[in-house]
Coordinates of all heavy atoms in Angstrom, one line a residue:
E41 N -12.1 -27.1 -12.6 CA -12.6 -26.2 -13.7 C -13.0 -24.9 -13.1 O -12.8 -23.8 -13.7 CB -13.7 -26.9 -14.5 CG -14.2 -26.1 -15.6 CD -15.4 -26.8 -16.4 OE1 -15.6 -28.0 -16.1 OE2 -16.0 -26.2 -17.2
L92 N -19.5 -7.6 1.5 CA -18.2 -7.9 2.1 C -17.6 -6.7 2.8 O -17.0 -6.9 3.9 CB -17.3 -8.4 1.0 CG -15.9 -9.0 1.5 CD1 -16.2 -10.4 2.1 CD2 -14.9 -9.1 0.3
A115 N -8.1 8.6 33.0 CA -7.0 7.7 32.8 C -6.9 7.3 31.3 O -5.8 7.1 30.7 CB -7.1 6.5 33.7
E121 N -6.1 5.8 25.3 CA -7.0 4.7 25.0 C -8.4 5.1 25.0 O -9.3 4.3 25.1 CB -6.8 3.6 26.1 CG -5.5 2.9 26.0 CD -5.4 1.7 26.9 OE1 -6.5 1.2 27.3 OE2 -4.3 1.3 27.3
N171 N -22.3 -20.3 30.7 CA -22.7 -21.6 31.2 C -24.0 -22.0 30.6 O -24.6 -21.2 29.8 CB -22.8 -21.5 32.7 CG -23.7 -20.4 33.2 OD1 -24.9 -20.4 32.9 ND2 -23.1 -19.3 33.8
D266 N -15.2 -26.1 24.4 CA -16.1 -27.2 24.0 C -17.5 -26.8 23.7 O -18.4 -27.6 23.3 CB -16.1 -28.3 25.1 CG -15.3 -29.5 24.7 OD1 -14.6 -29.5 23.7 OD2 -15.5 -30.5 25.4
G268 N -17.9 -24.3 21.5 CA -17.7 -23.5 20.3 C -18.8 -23.8 19.2 O -19.2 -22.9 18.5
A278 N -28.6 -15.7 14.9 CA -28.7 -14.3 14.9 C -28.7 -13.7 13.4 O -29.4 -12.8 13.1 CB -27.6 -13.7 15.7
A282 N -31.9 -11.9 11.4 CA -31.7 -10.5 10.8 C -32.1 -10.5 9.3 O -32.7 -9.5 8.8 CB -30.3 -10.0 11.1

Side-chain angles (χ1 to χ4, degrees):
E41 182 179 349
L92 188 73
E121 293 187 21
N171 53 64
D266 254 11

